[in-house]
Amino acid sequence: MKKTYVLLLGFISLTLFAKNTQADDQRNGSLFFSVGTQYRITPISTSDSKGGPTTFNHVNTDIQNSGPALFYTLDYYITKNLSLGFSHSMRYDLITMGRPEIQSDTGVQSADYGLIFGYTVYLDYHIKAFKNAELVVHLGKSRLNIGTDFTSKQTFYVNNTAVPSYSQEDFAYFAWDFALGYKKKKFNFTIGAYTTSVTNYAYIDDFIVPYFSFKYNLGTLF
């Protein structure tokens, strides 16, 4: 919870310091602060029939990687058309499913939910395709599903004696972020996808998470 309070405090501080947005042809050398919302669509994945589980998988990958997220971005314009950006997203979502550890004859056990974070460093190239609007080509590198830590247990038998083994794991992974956006004044609408071929999910090969997002520019920090 302390991390959440720090993030909220930082967000409020950046909002208060943001200045009015500059014109597009005068934005080079400026740092822009924006907030937005993103919706991640059900992932597209292919199964790896050759390999086995790479981690303890009491999780629904579709649920964990889809749904809404809130985010903020910092965009520094190297030129009026090229910007270097950083994005930080936050969502409340599934960590692990309920585990079959109920000791009584009947009962239920709830799934674990928590705050999940994502970070992206990216480049945006703006194309003046319309009189009062732009197309934005977006390429980034992301670290997703940060905060999905859990403890797994495996039991080995040595001379008919059960020996438990515990390990700390998570479902975080790196992904490329490809997108195409439409920007008009302070508003930006984007359609894109996170893509990776390396995750900690069992039997998963290629993994694609499509998304769309809306972003509003609050102004410049300098």
Side-chain angles (χ1 to χ4, degrees), residues 1 4 40 63-70 89-95 110-117 146 148:
M1 291 301 294
T4 304
R40 300 177 187 178
I63 294 177
Q64 187 175 80
N65 290 277
S66 62
L70 298 175
S89 66
M90 179 176 64
R91 55 198 178 92
Y92 185 79
D93 218 322
L94 177 72
I95 305 297
S110 62
D112 293 327
Y113 286 79
L115 289 175
I116 301 177
F117 302 94
I146 298 172
T148 56

Side-chain angles (χ1 to χ4, degrees), residues 42-64:
T42 302
I44 303 168
S45 61
T46 59
S47 299
D48 181 5
S49 58
K50 298 179 181 179
T54 55
T55 189
F56 190 71
N57 271 276
H58 284 306
V59 67
N60 185 310
T61 58
D62 288 349
I63 294 177
Q64 187 175 80

Side-chain angles (χ1 to χ4, degrees), residues 118-159:
Y119 302 94
T120 302
V121 177
Y122 58 88
L123 286 172
D124 281 351
Y125 188 78
H126 299 251
I127 303 171
K128 191 72 173 180
F130 309 96
K131 182 178 180 181
N132 297 314
E134 299 175 318
L135 291 178
V136 182
V137 180
H138 174 95
L139 173 62
K141 187 71 172 181
S142 302
R143 179 69 170 171
L144 303 176
N145 282 0
I146 298 172
T148 56
D149 306 77
F150 63 95
T151 301
S152 66
K153 175 185 176 181
Q154 290 183 316
T155 301
F156 302 92
Y157 289 87
V158 179
N159 297 326

Side-chain angles (χ1 to χ4, degrees), residues 7-8 27 33 44 47 54 58-59 77-78 95-96 99 106 124 134 136 151 154 164 172 196-197 205-206 212-213 220:
L7 289 173
L8 289 174
R27 62 194 176 192
F33 175 62
I44 303 168
S47 299
T54 55
H58 284 306
V59 67
Y77 280 79
I78 303 170
I95 305 297
T96 55
R99 297 170 298 280
T106 61
D124 281 351
E134 299 175 318
V136 182
T151 301
Q154 290 183 316
T196 185
S197 58
D205 192 359
D206 294 326
F212 62 87
S213 64
T220 59

